[in-house]
Amino acid sequence: AGEGSAPVPGDGSGPPAPERVLFPPTFSVSEIKNKQRRHFMFLRWKQQQRKEKLALKKKRRKEREALGHKAPPKAVPKTIENQRVYDETTVDPNDEEVAFDEATDEFAPYFNRQTVPKILITTSDRPRGRTVRFCEQLATVIPNSHVFYRRGLALKRIIPQCIARDFTDLIVINEDRKIPNGLVLSHLPDGPTAHFRMSSVRLRKEIKRKGKEPTEHVPEVILNNFTTRLGHSIGRMFAALFPHDPQFIGRQVATFHNQRDYIFFRFHRYIFKSEKKVGIQELGPRFTLKLRSLQKGTFDSKFGEYEWIHKRREMDTSRRKFHL
Amino acid sequence: SPQVVWSMLGNRQFCSYKMTTKTQNFCRNEYNLTGLCNRSSCPLANSQYATVREEKGRCYLYMKTIERAAFPRRLWERVLLSKNYEKALEEIDENLIYWPRFIRHKCKQRFTKITQYLIRIRKLTLKRQRKLVPLRRKIERRENRREEKALIAAQLDNAIEKELLERLKQDTYGDIYNFPIHAFDKALQQQDAESESESDAEREDDEEDEDVDKREFVEAEDSELSDFEDMDKLETSSEEEQEEEEEVEKKASHSKSKGKTPLKGPARRKRPYIEIEYEEETEPSTKTKAA
């Protein structure tokens, strides 16, 4: 009955004049049973929508031109970063409490230059080719690091040995089906332990670049976008991996860039072409990390005290809520 | 009678517990002593039979006798064996005292094997156990997609370049790069735009305190981190740089650090007495030339 006043079915030659078409107000295109007809009506509806949108745009542009200088400034487009849900743990750079905390936490000796970082890189049992090569490349990127292979040793027994031999950090790369997919970063003398999920690992030969290998110079470190308290502590963890005094002669920079809770690691060599232009060339492996859990003590999965765990049900509910 | 049972099931007809392979026949019956399908090890075809089975870490001896053949519910008699290995063997012997040798022997063998694997289980649980966590496909896909979008939104190259240029502007690299003249001009423009509210005396003092050769730069903050420090002590050793410094010094007349001149230069020019000094310096030279 609703279709009675509609144009003749099968009329694909062109949309009939709108005055002839009368639909009851609660009619929607999706209620038509005939697929061809439904498709046709939908296309027509779409065209109409597009026309309206175009007309609206034109009108707005005309208004804007008409106003000239008095026109209101252009609206900033909404991005996820703009719309991010405000996190109350965002660090204010002048916050004294935060500064005091950071002066007394486990990284204080590093930032006060009392300790020199010494890193131990290892894997899970029986690493396969890609992981082995990745470990080696990572060892060249991070100065003062050593790779040791585990042959079935328990982590809990490795840790006291490492502390005895003066290592400051432990990195364990977890492997699954021949590709590395997890990273455990543990600051050794009872420091926090962070467990990450690692993805899109690219070895040096897979990166499109024409550079040579990273040299032995100490690279600079860039840490971007670590805003909340949690992000701050993770950022300090990363900073504690590298020695304090970068050798600018080497012109190498390691970047940890946090975007929407994903931490991208890149290793570049830069050169200043003029004081406003810099060229960068990517060397070194690249990978992305996503934090899964942060534990207060050293690695202990059963009895450890977790400072933060990623809980999927609670934390993944909003697209605009990030924790780092 | 058992012979009939065996001639039916074992050889000719179908036995649901029987599993045949190319070389062997196996018996899947849970009360089977050896696991093979034989005339002597079939629990269905023997009216007097015994097995050892374990449940939750404890071993039991199961026995079946002809007397109870009519009562299926009471058919299998169960005896708990002691935890002590030798005692348990004795108990088996006691219970199966007049039984055929084959069954006794096989029971003891089976019991031995069971205790061995129980020991292994207990040892392994003490070592570290690998927990397999299943990946959830939907979640993996979602995270991969979000990662790609985050990568696009991050614009890493731009961010890194911007950060490096920031650091250059804030002089963390010191004198390695010979761009300061441009930075000087840029800073000039900045100063012109800004008001001169800062006191000049302070700046003079700062200047005089610094040395020419040893510079200590405290790295300005990273984008959000306030704690990250970058100290570098550079010694300018190249002659060219020293010459440049001298030129700059002459121009600004009293500046000792290149880094600070951009800020002080324009302010100084605005002060009258410096201009006067400069003019005085050039006047004698012109006089001498004239002479």
Side-chain angles (χ1 to χ4, degrees):
Chain A
E3 281 265 66
S5 44
V8 176
D11 185 355
S13 51
E19 308 89 70
R20 271 191 257 143
V21 174
L22 290 166
F23 294 108
T26 51
F27 181 80
S28 94
V29 184
S30 55
E31 283 173 16
I32 304 176
K33 297 287 187 179
N34 182 339
K35 181 169 177 177
Q36 231 181 13
R37 182 96 190 117
R38 188 172 64 228
H39 184 60
F40 169 72
M41 295 299 278
F42 176 72
L43 288 178
R44 211 168 57 146
W45 178 79
K46 263 297 204 190
Q47 277 178 2
Q48 222 172 18
Q49 296 290 98
R50 254 182 269 144
K51 257 196 228 163
E52 285 172 17
K53 193 171 171 190
L54 201 59
L56 197 64
K57 259 198 197 165
K58 271 195 179 164
K59 199 177 79 170
R60 241 190 251 143
R61 194 154 20 114
K62 276 219 180 89
E63 283 175 11
R64 208 193 166 75
E65 284 170 13
L67 283 179
H69 288 288
K70 294 174 262 168
K74 261 197 173 172
V76 178
K78 295 188 205 170
T79 63
I80 293 189
E81 282 80 28
N82 287 348
Q83 310 293 95
R84 175 174 173 175
V85 165
Y86 176 70
D87 198 342
E88 67 239 352
T89 61
T90 310
V91 171
D92 181 26
N94 305 326
D95 201 346
E96 292 163 353
E97 188 192 329
V98 173
F100 176 70
D101 273 339
E102 293 185 351
T104 51
D105 77 349
E106 293 112 345
F107 296 107
Y110 166 76
F111 284 107
N112 294 336
R113 294 176 180 255
Q114 288 163 13
T115 55
V116 176
K118 191 173 171 198
I119 322 273
L120 178 70
I121 304 183
T122 183
T123 64
S124 53
D125 271 350
R126 298 187 161 262
R128 310 309 270 170
R130 253 186 97 91
T131 318
V132 166
R133 268 174 274 146
F134 176 66
C135 283
E136 289 170 26
Q137 292 183 5
L138 202 61
T140 56
V141 164
I142 304 179
N144 206 5
S145 60
H146 309 267
V147 184
F148 285 104
Y149 293 113
R150 270 218 277 176
R151 289 190 268 112
L153 298 170
L155 267 184
K156 285 197 209 157
R157 274 188 226 132
I158 292 187
I159 287 176
Q161 287 185 18
C162 287
I163 300 180
R165 294 190 202 183
D166 246 358
F167 279 98
T168 56
D169 288 276
L170 175 69
I171 298 182
V172 183
I173 297 183
N174 190 36
E175 185 204 343
D176 174 55
R177 283 208 221 152
K178 305 178 197 173
I179 46 167
N181 73 345
L183 184 95
V184 176
L185 171 59
S186 177
H187 189 70
L188 272 185
D190 69 78
T193 308
H195 175 42
F196 298 93
R197 173 196 124 101
M198 183 153 59
S199 46
S200 43
V201 175
R202 302 276 175 266
L203 300 178
R204 212 176 278 143
K205 62 179 183 180
E206 294 163 9
I207 302 178
K208 294 177 194 159
R209 48 130 197 114
K210 297 155 208 160
K212 296 187 191 168
E213 301 176 353
T215 57
E216 289 292 321
H217 296 114
V218 173
E220 297 174 47
V221 180
I222 294 182
L223 296 157
N224 269 345
N225 264 344
F226 288 96
T227 48
T228 63
R229 284 298 294 270
L230 180 66
H232 242 259
S233 42
I234 301 281
R236 299 181 92 227
M237 274 189 97
F238 286 131
L241 292 177
F242 292 90
H244 244 294
D245 307 318
Q247 294 171 311
F248 297 122
I249 324 170
R251 285 188 283 125
Q252 294 175 139
V253 58
T255 311
F256 292 89
H257 182 103
N258 170 38
Q259 186 83 14
R260 302 184 194 173
D261 278 358
Y262 288 95
I263 303 173
F264 298 99
F265 171 82
R266 300 285 185 271
F267 193 74
H268 290 278
R269 183 170 282 143
Y270 63 88
I271 180 164
F272 284 106
K273 295 179 195 162
S274 69
E275 94 285 354
K276 290 195 193 171
K277 266 179 59 169
V278 59
I280 53 175
Q281 182 192 56
E282 183 164 7
L283 1 145
R286 66 154 86 153
F287 51 90
T288 60
L289 301 171
K290 184 159 198 271
L291 182 68
R292 260 199 248 176
S293 68
L294 181 64
Q295 205 176 25
K296 259 215 178 314
T298 53
F299 182 76
D300 194 336
S301 46
K302 279 193 244 169
F303 305 111
E305 178 197 339
Y306 279 95
E307 205 176 302
W308 188 84
I309 312 183
H310 177 80
K311 292 188 190 143
R312 184 173 58 91
R313 292 255 169 108
E314 299 166 14
M315 298 180 182
D316 270 354
T317 45
S318 163
R319 267 182 231 242
R320 296 168 191 87
K321 185 169 193 326
F322 307 114
H323 311 282
L324 275 190
Chain B
S1 75
Q3 286 93 329
V4 176
V5 171
W6 177 250
S7 58
M8 287 293 120
L9 294 180
N11 285 332
R12 289 196 254 137
Q13 289 194 0
F14 179 74
C15 172
S16 70
Y17 297 107
K18 181 172 175 182
M19 294 210 314
T20 53
T21 44
K22 277 192 208 154
T23 45
Q24 272 269 2
N25 292 337
F26 293 104
C27 184
R28 262 191 357 204
N29 194 324
E30 37 189 35
Y31 289 101
N32 190 313
L33 192 54
T34 53
L36 312 172
C37 188
N38 290 327
R39 173 69 182 88
S40 46
S41 7
C42 186
L44 308 171
N46 289 317
S47 39
Q48 197 186 42
Y49 201 73
T51 334
V52 176
R53 278 171 67 190
E54 67 92 21
E55 206 170 314
K56 292 187 192 157
R58 300 304 310 274
C59 299
Y60 298 93
L61 174 66
Y62 287 80
M63 289 178 290
K64 159 178 153 175
T65 44
I66 320 175
E67 289 92 44
R68 298 196 299 270
F71 313 108
R73 254 176 98 228
R74 294 180 242 152
L75 187 58
W76 289 97
E77 178 191 342
R78 180 162 102 158
V79 172
L80 177 66
L81 299 171
S82 97
K83 274 194 183 171
N84 188 343
Y85 181 68
E86 286 95 28
K87 265 208 196 149
L89 286 181
E90 285 170 10
E91 283 175 16
I92 293 179
D93 263 334
E94 272 175 48
N95 278 308
L96 301 179
I97 185 164
Y98 294 119
W99 285 53
R101 217 182 314 142
F102 174 77
I103 294 185
R104 251 187 293 152
H105 188 233
K106 287 294 179 190
C107 274
K108 285 190 242 173
Q109 273 189 342
R110 196 178 164 94
F111 173 71
T112 315
K113 258 294 182 294
I114 289 178
T115 46
Q116 284 171 352
Y117 82 61
L118 285 176
I119 292 173
R120 251 176 84 211
I121 290 177
R122 273 178 258 142
K123 233 193 270 179
L124 283 178
T125 51
L126 288 178
K127 282 194 186 173
R128 33 184 215 123
Q129 280 168 334
R130 188 154 303 174
K131 188 175 169 195
L132 292 177
V133 175
L135 293 176
R136 301 227 174 91
R137 206 173 300 169
K138 179 178 177 188
I139 295 177
E140 290 294 306
R141 268 196 284 150
R142 197 211 294 168
E143 295 200 338
N144 289 339
R145 221 175 15 226
R146 287 203 182 159
E147 186 189 322
E148 286 167 13
K149 303 233 165 134
L151 184 61
I152 296 172
Q155 295 177 345
L156 283 169
D157 291 341
N158 290 351
I160 297 179
E161 289 175 6
K162 233 176 28 175
E163 178 67 28
L164 289 171
L165 287 171
E166 274 288 318
R167 291 192 186 180
L168 180 68
K169 248 200 276 181
Q170 284 162 356
D171 243 357
T172 49
Y173 301 131
D175 284 332
I176 311 182
Y177 301 105
N178 298 331
F179 302 134
I181 303 176
H182 302 277
F184 180 82
D185 290 339
K186 212 198 268 183
L188 265 187
Q189 292 162 13
Q190 280 180 2
Q191 277 294 324
D192 287 332
E194 293 171 1
S195 61
E196 327 90 39
S197 52
E198 295 170 335
S199 62
D200 301 328
E202 286 178 0
R203 270 189 259 132
E204 262 199 23
D205 290 336
D206 287 338
E207 244 186 292
E208 287 167 358
D209 287 338
E210 275 192 6
D211 283 338
V212 180
D213 286 332
K214 288 186 187 167
R215 267 150 230 191
E216 291 189 1
F217 294 98
V218 177
E219 144 100 276
E221 285 130 40
D222 282 342
S223 11
E224 245 79 30
L225 272 190
S226 55
D227 254 344
F228 182 74
E229 292 181 6
D230 230 352
M231 309 261 283
D232 69 297
K233 299 171 188 174
L234 291 177
E235 289 191 6
T236 56
S237 51
S238 63
E239 292 175 18
E240 289 179 349
E241 289 177 342
Q242 279 181 349
E243 281 177 340
E244 271 196 6
E245 285 168 35
E246 285 164 32
E247 288 173 355
V248 172
E249 280 173 19
K250 281 177 194 164
K251 281 178 197 166
S253 70
H254 288 313
S255 77
K256 288 188 181 178
S257 83
K258 245 199 242 175
K260 299 269 185 178
T261 37
L263 296 174
K264 285 161 191 135
R268 290 179 135 231
R269 279 192 196 151
K270 282 167 188 161
R271 278 190 282 165
Y273 77 87
I274 292 179
E275 288 178 359
I276 294 170
E277 281 183 29
Y278 191 64
E279 284 166 8
E280 283 176 356
E281 281 175 9
T282 50
E283 272 172 20
S285 59
T286 50
K287 276 184 189 168
T288 49
K289 279 180 187 172

